[in-house]
Amino acid sequence: MEIIDSIVLGIIQGLTEFLPVSSSGHLELGKAVLGDKSVPKESLLFTVVLHFATALSTMVIFRKDIFDLIKGILKFEWNDDLQFISKIALSMVPAVIVGLFFEEQLEQLFGGNILLVGCMLIVTAILLFLADRAKDTQKKVTFSNAFIIGISQAIAMLPGISRSGATISTSVLLGNDKTKAARFSFLMVVPLIFGKIAKDLISGDITYESSNMTSLGIGFIAAFISGLFACTWMIALVKKSKLSYFAIYCVVVGIIAITFALLNR
Protein backbone atom coordinates (compact mmCIF):
# COMPACT_ATOMS: atom_id res chain seq x y z
CA MET A 1 0.00 0.00 0.00
CA GLU A 2 1.34 3.43 -0.99
CA ILE A 3 2.01 6.09 1.68
CA ILE A 4 -0.58 8.48 0.21
CA ASP A 5 -3.16 5.68 0.24
CA SER A 6 -2.49 5.05 3.94
CA ILE A 7 -2.94 8.75 4.71
CA VAL A 8 -6.20 8.97 2.74
CA LEU A 9 -7.63 5.83 4.35
CA GLY A 10 -6.49 6.99 7.80
CA ILE A 11 -8.27 10.31 7.35
CA ILE A 12 -11.39 8.52 6.08
CA GLN A 13 -11.39 6.33 9.20
CA GLY A 14 -10.85 9.27 11.55
CA LEU A 15 -13.59 11.38 10.01
CA THR A 16 -16.20 8.63 9.63
CA GLU A 17 -15.70 6.75 12.92
CA PHE A 18 -17.86 9.23 14.83
CA LEU A 19 -20.58 9.71 12.24
CA PRO A 20 -23.31 7.11 11.62
CA VAL A 21 -22.11 6.41 8.08
CA SER A 22 -19.95 3.26 8.56
CA SER A 23 -16.22 3.86 8.79
CA SER A 24 -15.50 0.24 7.77
CA GLY A 25 -17.75 0.61 4.74
CA HIS A 26 -16.01 3.81 3.70
CA LEU A 27 -12.63 2.15 4.16
CA GLU A 28 -13.65 -0.65 1.79
CA LEU A 29 -14.95 1.90 -0.72
CA GLY A 30 -11.75 3.91 -0.36
CA LYS A 31 -9.63 0.82 -0.94
CA ALA A 32 -11.65 0.00 -4.07
CA VAL A 33 -11.29 3.52 -5.47
CA LEU A 34 -7.55 3.55 -4.67
CA GLY A 35 -7.15 0.13 -6.27
CA ASP A 36 -6.00 -1.63 -3.10
CA LYS A 37 -5.42 -5.33 -3.81
CA SER A 38 -4.85 -6.48 -0.23
CA VAL A 39 -6.03 -9.97 0.60
CA PRO A 40 -8.91 -10.05 3.10
CA LYS A 41 -6.69 -10.83 6.13
CA GLU A 42 -4.27 -7.97 5.39
CA SER A 43 -7.18 -5.66 4.62
CA LEU A 44 -8.81 -6.48 7.96
CA LEU A 45 -5.50 -5.91 9.75
CA PHE A 46 -5.24 -2.40 8.32
CA THR A 47 -8.88 -1.75 9.27
CA VAL A 48 -8.25 -2.92 12.86
CA VAL A 49 -5.14 -0.73 13.16
CA LEU A 50 -7.10 2.33 12.07
CA HIS A 51 -9.92 1.51 14.48
CA PHE A 52 -7.31 1.18 17.22
CA ALA A 53 -6.12 4.71 16.42
CA THR A 54 -9.61 6.17 16.68
CA ALA A 55 -10.19 4.22 19.90
CA LEU A 56 -7.18 6.06 21.35
CA SER A 57 -8.53 9.39 20.12
CA THR A 58 -11.85 8.55 21.79
CA MET A 59 -10.02 7.96 25.07
CA VAL A 60 -8.30 11.33 24.75
CA ILE A 61 -11.57 13.18 24.14
CA PHE A 62 -13.46 11.27 26.85
CA ARG A 63 -10.54 11.25 29.28
CA LYS A 64 -12.56 13.07 31.99
CA ASP A 65 -15.42 10.58 31.70
CA ILE A 66 -13.00 7.65 31.81
CA PHE A 67 -11.14 9.12 34.80
CA ASP A 68 -14.44 9.65 36.67
CA LEU A 69 -15.46 6.06 35.91
CA ILE A 70 -12.16 4.76 37.29
CA LYS A 71 -12.59 6.83 40.47
CA GLY A 72 -16.11 5.50 40.86
CA ILE A 73 -14.96 1.89 40.48
CA LEU A 74 -12.23 2.36 43.10
CA LYS A 75 -14.92 3.22 45.66
CA PHE A 76 -15.92 -0.47 45.50
CA GLU A 77 -19.60 0.43 45.63
CA TRP A 78 -22.50 -0.53 43.35
CA ASN A 79 -22.70 3.08 42.17
CA ASP A 80 -23.59 4.61 38.79
CA ASP A 81 -20.00 4.35 37.56
CA LEU A 82 -19.65 0.63 38.31
CA GLN A 83 -23.09 0.00 36.81
CA PHE A 84 -22.07 1.88 33.66
CA ILE A 85 -18.90 -0.20 33.31
CA SER A 86 -20.94 -3.37 33.87
CA LYS A 87 -23.30 -2.33 31.09
CA ILE A 88 -20.33 -1.72 28.79
CA ALA A 89 -19.01 -5.21 29.61
CA LEU A 90 -22.43 -6.74 28.95
CA SER A 91 -22.69 -4.94 25.61
CA MET A 92 -19.40 -6.52 24.51
CA VAL A 93 -20.66 -10.12 24.83
CA PRO A 94 -22.38 -10.45 21.40
CA ALA A 95 -19.40 -8.96 19.51
CA VAL A 96 -16.96 -11.17 21.42
CA ILE A 97 -18.98 -14.26 20.48
CA VAL A 98 -19.01 -13.25 16.81
CA GLY A 99 -15.29 -12.48 16.91
CA LEU A 100 -14.41 -15.82 18.48
CA PHE A 101 -16.57 -18.12 16.38
CA PHE A 102 -17.00 -16.32 13.06
CA GLU A 103 -13.72 -14.46 12.62
CA GLU A 104 -12.64 -16.28 9.45
CA GLN A 105 -16.01 -15.72 7.77
CA LEU A 106 -15.91 -12.06 8.79
CA GLU A 107 -12.42 -11.56 7.38
CA GLN A 108 -13.59 -12.70 3.95
CA LEU A 109 -16.06 -9.79 3.83
CA PHE A 110 -13.24 -7.23 4.02
CA GLY A 111 -11.81 -7.92 0.58
CA GLY A 112 -13.44 -5.15 -1.44
CA ASN A 113 -17.00 -6.54 -1.48
CA ILE A 114 -18.50 -3.25 -2.66
CA LEU A 115 -21.93 -4.71 -3.39
CA LEU A 116 -22.25 -5.86 0.24
CA VAL A 117 -21.06 -2.47 1.49
CA GLY A 118 -23.65 -0.68 -0.64
CA CYS A 119 -26.49 -2.90 0.57
CA MET A 120 -25.46 -2.54 4.22
CA LEU A 121 -25.30 1.25 3.86
CA ILE A 122 -28.95 1.13 2.80
CA VAL A 123 -29.69 -0.92 5.95
CA THR A 124 -27.88 1.73 8.00
CA ALA A 125 -30.00 4.43 6.37
CA ILE A 126 -33.21 2.59 7.31
CA LEU A 127 -32.07 2.35 10.93
CA LEU A 128 -31.29 6.06 11.02
CA PHE A 129 -34.64 7.00 9.47
CA LEU A 130 -36.46 4.91 12.10
CA ALA A 131 -34.40 6.37 14.96
CA ASP A 132 -35.05 9.90 13.74
CA ARG A 133 -38.76 9.40 14.44
CA ALA A 134 -38.14 8.38 18.07
CA LYS A 135 -39.00 10.84 20.81
CA ASP A 136 -36.19 12.38 22.86
CA THR A 137 -36.21 11.34 26.51
CA GLN A 138 -34.06 11.49 29.65
CA LYS A 139 -33.97 7.70 30.04
CA LYS A 140 -30.65 6.04 30.83
CA VAL A 141 -29.37 2.87 29.17
CA THR A 142 -30.50 -0.16 31.19
CA PHE A 143 -28.79 -3.55 31.43
CA SER A 144 -31.26 -5.16 29.04
CA ASN A 145 -30.79 -2.21 26.69
CA ALA A 146 -27.01 -2.65 26.88
CA PHE A 147 -27.22 -6.26 25.72
CA ILE A 148 -29.56 -5.41 22.83
CA ILE A 149 -27.29 -2.53 21.81
CA GLY A 150 -24.42 -5.02 21.97
CA ILE A 151 -26.22 -7.24 19.46
CA SER A 152 -26.43 -4.21 17.15
CA GLN A 153 -22.70 -3.65 17.60
CA ALA A 154 -22.01 -7.28 16.66
CA ILE A 155 -24.12 -6.98 13.51
CA ALA A 156 -22.31 -3.73 12.70
CA MET A 157 -19.08 -5.72 12.30
CA LEU A 158 -20.31 -6.19 8.73
CA PRO A 159 -18.70 -3.60 6.41
CA GLY A 160 -21.27 -0.98 5.50
CA ILE A 161 -23.34 -1.08 8.68
CA SER A 162 -22.38 1.86 10.85
CA ARG A 163 -21.40 0.80 14.35
CA SER A 164 -22.30 4.17 15.86
CA GLY A 165 -25.38 4.41 13.65
CA ALA A 166 -26.60 0.95 14.61
CA THR A 167 -25.90 1.31 18.33
CA ILE A 168 -27.21 4.87 18.67
CA SER A 169 -30.30 4.06 16.59
CA THR A 170 -31.01 0.92 18.62
CA SER A 171 -30.56 2.82 21.88
CA VAL A 172 -32.83 5.67 20.78
CA LEU A 173 -35.48 3.24 19.48
CA LEU A 174 -35.41 1.61 22.93
CA GLY A 175 -36.42 4.99 24.33
CA ASN A 176 -33.05 6.24 25.61
CA ASP A 177 -31.88 9.84 25.61
CA LYS A 178 -29.91 10.70 22.44
CA THR A 179 -27.03 12.31 24.33
CA LYS A 180 -26.71 9.35 26.71
CA ALA A 181 -27.04 6.96 23.75
CA ALA A 182 -24.18 8.70 21.90
CA ARG A 183 -21.92 8.67 24.97
CA PHE A 184 -22.59 4.97 25.57
CA SER A 185 -22.04 4.17 21.89
CA PHE A 186 -18.65 5.87 21.66
CA LEU A 187 -17.33 4.49 24.96
CA MET A 188 -18.54 0.90 24.45
CA VAL A 189 -16.25 0.33 21.47
CA VAL A 190 -13.01 1.24 23.28
CA PRO A 191 -12.56 -2.01 25.30
CA LEU A 192 -13.71 -4.04 22.30
CA ILE A 193 -10.98 -2.62 20.06
CA PHE A 194 -8.30 -3.08 22.71
CA GLY A 195 -9.53 -6.61 23.31
CA LYS A 196 -9.29 -7.39 19.60
CA ILE A 197 -5.73 -6.09 19.40
CA ALA A 198 -4.72 -8.04 22.54
CA LYS A 199 -6.26 -11.26 21.19
CA ASP A 200 -4.47 -10.96 17.86
CA LEU A 201 -1.15 -10.18 19.52
CA ILE A 202 -1.39 -13.16 21.87
CA SER A 203 -2.58 -15.58 19.20
CA GLY A 204 -0.08 -14.36 16.63
CA ASP A 205 -2.80 -13.47 14.14
CA ILE A 206 -1.24 -10.05 13.54
CA THR A 207 1.45 -10.81 11.01
CA TYR A 208 2.89 -8.41 8.49
CA GLU A 209 5.89 -7.88 6.30
CA SER A 210 8.38 -5.20 7.31
CA SER A 211 7.52 -3.25 4.16
CA ASN A 212 4.01 -2.70 5.51
CA MET A 213 5.15 -1.14 8.79
CA THR A 214 5.45 2.35 7.33
CA SER A 215 2.01 2.25 5.74
CA LEU A 216 0.43 0.94 8.93
CA GLY A 217 2.18 3.56 11.06
CA ILE A 218 1.27 6.48 8.83
CA GLY A 219 -2.31 5.25 8.54
CA PHE A 220 -2.49 5.00 12.33
CA ILE A 221 -1.22 8.57 12.81
CA ALA A 222 -3.58 9.96 10.17
CA ALA A 223 -6.56 8.21 11.76
CA PHE A 224 -5.59 9.33 15.28
CA ILE A 225 -5.13 13.00 14.39
CA SER A 226 -8.25 13.22 12.21
CA GLY A 227 -10.12 11.28 14.91
CA LEU A 228 -9.22 13.87 17.54
CA PHE A 229 -10.58 16.61 15.30
CA ALA A 230 -13.68 14.66 14.30
CA CYS A 231 -14.49 13.53 17.83
CA THR A 232 -14.65 17.10 19.17
CA TRP A 233 -16.73 18.37 16.24
CA MET A 234 -18.69 15.40 14.93
CA ILE A 235 -20.01 14.11 18.27
CA ALA A 236 -21.77 17.43 18.83
CA LEU A 237 -23.13 17.20 15.28
CA VAL A 238 -24.49 13.71 15.90
CA LYS A 239 -26.23 14.85 19.09
CA LYS A 240 -27.77 18.01 17.65
CA SER A 241 -28.48 17.20 14.02
CA LYS A 242 -31.25 14.97 12.72
CA LEU A 243 -30.16 11.46 11.89
CA SER A 244 -32.14 11.66 8.65
CA TYR A 245 -29.37 13.81 7.15
CA PHE A 246 -26.93 10.93 7.61
CA ALA A 247 -29.55 8.46 6.39
CA ILE A 248 -29.86 10.36 3.10
CA TYR A 249 -26.08 10.36 2.76
CA CYS A 250 -25.93 6.59 3.35
CA VAL A 251 -28.64 6.01 0.73
CA VAL A 252 -26.76 8.07 -1.86
CA VAL A 253 -23.38 6.44 -1.17
CA GLY A 254 -25.02 3.02 -0.98
CA ILE A 255 -26.67 3.41 -4.38
CA ILE A 256 -23.38 4.64 -5.88
CA ALA A 257 -21.53 1.65 -4.37
CA ILE A 258 -24.11 -0.85 -5.66
CA THR A 259 -24.04 0.71 -9.11
CA PHE A 260 -20.23 0.69 -9.13
CA ALA A 261 -20.14 -2.97 -8.08
CA LEU A 262 -22.68 -4.08 -10.71
CA LEU A 263 -20.99 -2.17 -13.53
CA ASN A 264 -17.56 -3.63 -12.68
CA ARG A 265 -18.59 -7.29 -12.45
Side-chain angles (χ1 to χ4, degrees):
M1 184 178 292
E2 299 293 334
I3 300 300
I4 186 64
D5 293 351
S6 298
I7 295 174
V8 171
L9 293 175
I11 292 175
I12 290 175
Q13 165 64 22
L15 294 179
T16 59
E17 174 65 24
F18 303 104
L19 282 178
V21 295
S22 178
S23 58
S24 61
H26 278 71
L27 282 176
E28 292 304 305
L29 294 176
K31 291 171 187 175
V33 172
L34 293 172
D36 177 39
K37 302 300 182 182
S38 299
V39 297
K41 192 175 186 68
E42 293 174 344
S43 183
L44 182 59
L45 169 62
F46 189 75
T47 300
V48 170
V49 168
L50 297 190
H51 275 83
F52 181 64
T54 47
L56 284 180
S57 67
T58 303
M59 292 185 66
V60 171
I61 300 302
F62 283 98
R63 59 188 180 279
K64 184 179 183 301
D65 297 72
I66 295 173
F67 183 66
D68 289 340
L69 288 172
I70 293 174
K71 287 196 301 182
I73 293 174
L74 293 177
K75 293 179 180 179
F76 300 103
E77 300 174 353
W78 187 242
N79 50 32
D80 290 342
D81 295 317
L82 184 55
Q83 290 181 41
F84 186 86
I85 292 296
S86 299
K87 292 171 186 175
I88 292 290
L90 181 62
S91 73
M92 293 171 56
V93 174
V96 170
I97 293 175
V98 171
L100 288 176
F101 296 101
F102 301 98
E103 184 174 15
E104 290 185 6
Q105 292 87 337
L106 188 63
E107 287 176 353
Q108 298 303 316
L109 300 178
F110 285 81
N113 194 336
I114 304 306
L115 182 59
L116 174 64
V117 171
C119 292
M120 293 302 99
L121 281 171
I122 301 297
V123 172
T124 295
I126 294 173
L127 286 172
L128 296 176
F129 272 124
L130 291 174
D132 200 42
R133 296 176 177 273
K135 295 181 180 179
D136 200 8
T137 68
Q138 294 299 314
K139 181 183 174 183
K140 294 182 179 180
V141 176
T142 64
F143 280 94
S144 60
N145 290 166
F147 186 74
I148 296 173
I149 296 169
I151 294 175
S152 295
Q153 178 167 251
I155 295 173
M157 294 171 77
L158 293 171
I161 294 187
S162 166
R163 192 204 63 81
S164 63
T167 53
I168 291 174
S169 294
T170 299
S171 184
V172 170
L173 288 172
L174 289 171
N176 295 305
D177 176 71
K178 290 182 179 179
T179 299
K180 293 182 177 67
R183 177 174 177 264
F184 189 83
S185 172
F186 291 129
L187 287 175
M188 70 187 286
V189 74
V190 174
L192 194 64
I193 293 295
F194 284 122
K196 169 63 177 174
I197 295 295
K199 173 184 175 295
D200 290 345
L201 284 173
I202 294 173
S203 65
D205 287 343
I206 293 185
T207 57
Y208 48 81
E209 297 178 3
S210 58
S211 59
N212 291 331
M213 273 296 294
T214 302
S215 296
L216 286 172
I218 290 178
F220 178 90
I221 294 172
F224 178 74
I225 294 176
S226 59
L228 288 175
F229 167 75
C231 197
T232 55
W233 179 48
M234 302 295 190
I235 288 177
L237 191 60
V238 169
K239 294 177 182 178
K240 297 177 182 178
S241 298
K242 290 188 175 181
L243 295 176
S244 58
Y245 297 149
F246 302 108
I248 293 171
Y249 173 82
C250 287
V251 169
V252 173
V253 177
I255 292 174
I256 293 174
I258 292 172
T259 304
F260 178 84
L262 294 177
L263 291 177
N264 287 275
R265 276 191 165 184

